[in-house]
Amino acid sequence: QGPVCSRHALLAPLPGEQHTFGISVLRAQFLGEGWQVWSAAPQSLLEIVELVEGQGFDLLCLSASVVHEPQRLAADVQLIRKKARNKGMAIFVGGHAFLKQPHLVAAVGADGTAQDGREAARRMQCSNNLRQWGLAVHNYHDTFRAFPMTNAQNYLPNVQGFSPQARLLPFVEQANLQS
């Protein structure tokens, strides 16, 4: 069986933030793209840590209107990564603070930012697709003890069988396309 793209997101303003409209808009966009979304206004960093520890979120989006202490937020992001159940969880930041000071995205250790919900959903979908193909290559290798290859120099379509990409289809839950 191929890898499954779970698409679970946690959307939250930083503790103490009063502005949640952006999170509401982002939530609607992610729900429209088929994501399972949990959103709330945490009272403390500990609440966020407990959530990512207990659930396998693929994405954490944090929103801030102001970042007074970027070093502290960077330490918080490191702690969240360390405690996360899903070690591959992406962390995106957004809000007025990051819009006005884009250098803060890297300074706090986030994976990225997005100008709007559609862009954030697309970026995460692309990331999940790449992860799924990477897992497919590894699962193919585990099954056949080799990577899906062709002899590129002498490759003759319809003579030597499927292309390497087609050989991976069963491992991305697309076996019906290969048949």
Side-chain angles (χ1 to χ4, degrees):
Q1 186 177 20
V4 176
C5 180
S6 55
R7 297 167 42 140
H8 290 83
L10 169 59
L11 313 176
L14 289 175
E17 280 286 326
Q18 300 299 314
H19 303 282
T20 59
F21 178 72
I23 293 290
S24 299
V25 171
L26 192 61
R27 182 177 192 279
Q29 189 63 47
F30 273 87
L31 287 171
E33 294 287 331
W35 286 70
Q36 293 183 9
V37 180
W38 193 96
S39 61
Q43 299 300 309
S44 69
L45 175 68
L46 182 59
E47 282 185 49
I48 295 172
V49 169
E50 287 174 351
L51 286 167
V52 300
E53 241 178 347
Q55 302 291 323
F57 291 109
D58 298 296
L59 172 65
L60 168 62
C61 291
L62 298 171
S63 177
S65 57
V66 177
V67 175
H68 294 292
E69 300 176 59
Q71 298 85 359
R72 180 174 176 189
L73 182 53
D76 292 347
V77 167
Q78 278 186 323
L79 176 65
I80 290 168
R81 284 190 194 283
K82 180 180 177 183
K83 297 288 187 172
R85 181 178 191 186
N86 177 1
K87 298 303 180 190
M89 178 182 71
I91 299 177
F92 274 44
V93 291
H96 187 75
F98 299 100
L99 185 62
K100 293 296 181 188
Q101 301 175 68
H103 69 278
L104 285 178
V105 176
V108 301
D111 296 312
T113 188
Q115 297 298 324
D116 65 30
R118 283 184 301 269
E119 181 185 347
R122 278 192 298 270
R123 287 181 70 174
M124 282 310 302
Q125 183 61 44
C126 289
S127 175
N128 280 334
N129 287 344
L130 287 173
R131 182 182 314 142
Q132 191 171 14
W133 281 104
L135 288 171
V137 168
H138 287 285
N139 289 337
Y140 182 97
H141 186 270
D142 288 347
T143 301
F144 297 107
R145 300 285 180 232
F147 291 109
M149 311 225 16
T150 62
N151 183 344
Q153 215 170 16
N154 300 319
Y155 180 67
L156 300 172
N158 301 322
V159 174
Q160 293 177 318
F162 295 118
S163 70
Q165 295 85 353
R167 293 172 193 263
L168 291 175
L169 289 174
F171 297 92
V172 289
E173 300 178 352
Q174 298 295 324
N176 59 327
L177 291 176
Q178 188 185 45
S179 312

